[in-house]
Amino acid sequence: MAPLLEVEDLRVEFGRGPETASVLNGVSYHVDEGETLAVLGESGSGKSVTAQTVMGILDLPPGRITGGAVRFRGEELLGADPERRRLLRGESMAMIFQDALSALNPVYTVGFQIAEQFRFRRGLSRRDATARAVEMLDQVRIPNAKQRVKEYPHQFSGGMRQRAMIAMSLALDPELLIADEPTTALDVTVQAQIMDLLDELRRERGMGLVLITHDLGVVAEVADRIAVMYAGRVVEHADAATLYARPGHPYTRGLMDSVPRVDDVAGAPLRPIPGLPPSLAAIPDGCPFHPRCAHAVDRCVTEVPALRELGGDHQAACHFAERFVAEGTDRPTTHEVVSG
Ligand code: SF4
């Protein structure tokens, strides 16, 4: 059976001539029904551009899709009729964004914005659509939903606004939800509540969830599988337990090492990844990670590493991935700590 969502060798560029930025350089991943795929990486790695291309909301131009495929239940979406794409959005796939305050329209009440979908996509009357909006706010645990449905986004706290966004995105019962850094703008306690809510709604509805994040703690709690992106490519992919225990790419290992942990010795220095992600207009030759990699050798400077099969569903784009997998991690993993 075809995966719910399949992204294959997706390539996107911005700009022209010497100014061309290769933002996606052959991104591939898939999501099955009812599972959570976490897409992990620093800013600029291509996580959000991939999601926007999947949703059909990437600005074209200035963006240019130069290759690849995006299939939803086997149906090719790239080049599909815009009306078909519009119908799929909301009904079959939905997206929530990092900053709910910018995503919600400040001049309409939260209830109006949720009810709009029931009115225009389901043909409900204003009264019935508002009743459904109240139900949706109830489902995302907004207290006193009957009253809050009449309020404007600025009257909601950050966490409540994100809940309202989730309610809006799930109103038409989509099969796939893409959550783009849904907790970044929230404090830690509210982050945990939002992630618990998303996970619960995913299980209840059997929905596929693509969770875009740079937060390894969030990923450890909810992800079934993880795709790590760097410079517009997936550089490692595995189920969550395997990736945390035996990362095959030094970048993945670097992301893990740079997170402070409860079992660290007091005062122990953090171990950040040196340097910065490359400019997408000037991606280094060879392995794009080589200027930052402590394990780089001459070969890494000239030869682009292929995605190597490491057993099971584990792949990593490093010439020495087998060696790193065999070494494993040198301390208890975040995944082990979180899952107890
Ligand atoms: Fe580091 Fe070389 Fe592996 Fe790239 S291929 S991650 S530079 S060791």
Side-chain angles (χ1 to χ4, degrees):
M1 203 167 71
L4 184 62
L5 172 72
E6 194 173 16
V7 177
E8 190 183 331
D9 198 25
L10 186 60
R11 293 169 188 273
V12 170
E13 292 178 353
F14 284 81
R16 296 267 173 204
E19 301 293 308
T20 301
S22 301
V23 178
L24 302 184
N25 297 297
V27 174
S28 298
Y29 61 63
H30 73 276
V31 190
D32 289 319
E33 267 177 51
E35 73 163 356
T36 299
L37 172 76
V39 181
L40 192 67
E42 291 164 290
S43 298
S45 58
K47 310 181 300 289
S48 297
V49 172
T50 308
Q52 288 166 12
T53 310
V54 167
M55 290 298 294
I57 57 172
L58 185 70
D59 284 337
L60 303 170
R64 215 166 42 251
I65 298 169
T66 56
V70 174
R71 289 184 282 270
F72 183 76
R73 291 204 176 282
E75 176 185 350
E76 176 59 61
L77 300 184
L78 297 185
D81 177 43
E83 181 57 17
R84 173 71 185 144
R85 301 293 315 261
R86 193 184 69 77
L87 283 175
L88 284 173
R89 278 194 293 275
E91 299 278 357
S92 300
M93 52 172 71
M95 185 163 172
I96 55 175
F97 300 91
Q98 185 180 128
D99 181 3
L101 189 57
S102 336
L104 292 165
N105 191 326
V107 301
Y108 294 109
T109 63
V110 167
F112 178 90
Q113 295 180 62
I114 299 172
E116 211 179 11
Q117 302 186 69
F118 294 115
R119 291 177 61 208
F120 295 109
R121 291 281 185 97
R122 297 283 184 268
L124 298 191
S125 67
R126 187 181 292 261
R127 173 194 285 253
D128 290 347
T130 303
R132 294 297 307 276
V134 173
E135 279 172 28
M136 290 306 303
L137 290 182
D138 260 338
Q139 275 187 33
V140 296
R141 324 263 188 280
I142 290 192
N144 196 11
K146 268 192 182 151
Q147 185 55 39
R148 305 302 304 257
V149 81
K150 300 174 199 154
E151 294 181 359
Y152 290 86
H154 74 271
Q155 294 173 286
F156 279 49
S157 66
M160 288 295 153
R161 277 195 292 269
Q162 198 54 279
R163 285 169 192 266
M165 274 281 293
I166 294 171
M168 192 179 303
S169 62
L170 298 186
L172 301 179
D173 208 10
E175 297 161 274
L176 174 73
L177 179 66
I178 300 178
D180 189 358
E181 309 255 11
T183 59
T184 303
L186 307 173
D187 67 51
V188 178
T189 322
V190 182
Q191 276 184 14
Q193 291 167 0
I194 295 291
M195 283 317 307
D196 286 348
L197 175 67
L198 274 175
D199 200 39
E200 198 179 312
L201 292 167
R202 174 193 61 79
R203 272 189 270 116
E204 276 172 19
R205 293 162 175 251
M207 200 170 56
L209 176 64
V210 178
L211 176 66
I212 298 171
T213 183
H214 57 263
D215 187 331
L216 278 149
V218 165
V219 168
E221 278 188 71
V222 299
D224 297 306
R225 289 185 296 109
I226 301 173
V228 180
M229 287 188 67
Y230 189 78
R233 282 178 80 196
V234 172
V235 294
E236 182 153 18
H237 167 264
D239 66 82
T242 300
L243 190 119
Y244 277 94
R246 295 188 300 281
H249 198 289
Y251 178 60
T252 310
R253 188 178 289 235
L255 288 175
M256 290 178 185
D257 285 347
S258 57
V259 176
R261 299 165 42 102
V262 287
D263 56 335
D264 276 340
V265 177
L270 291 177
R271 293 187 281 178
I273 302 173
L276 294 169
S279 157
L280 296 173
I283 294 176
D285 289 338
C287 173
F289 188 57
H290 83 254
R292 306 173 74 189
C293 182
H295 306 277
V297 295
D298 288 351
R299 181 183 174 195
C300 305
V301 180
T302 53
E303 193 182 326
V304 179
L307 208 56
R308 300 166 84 93
E309 292 293 337
L310 301 167
D313 201 11
H314 188 186
Q315 301 95 25
C318 170
H319 296 309
F320 311 107
E322 290 83 355
R323 191 178 90 207
F324 296 124
V325 167
E327 282 173 10
T329 47
D330 59 357
R331 54 184 188 161
T333 68
T334 306
H335 191 262
E336 284 165 350
V337 170
V338 169
S339 48

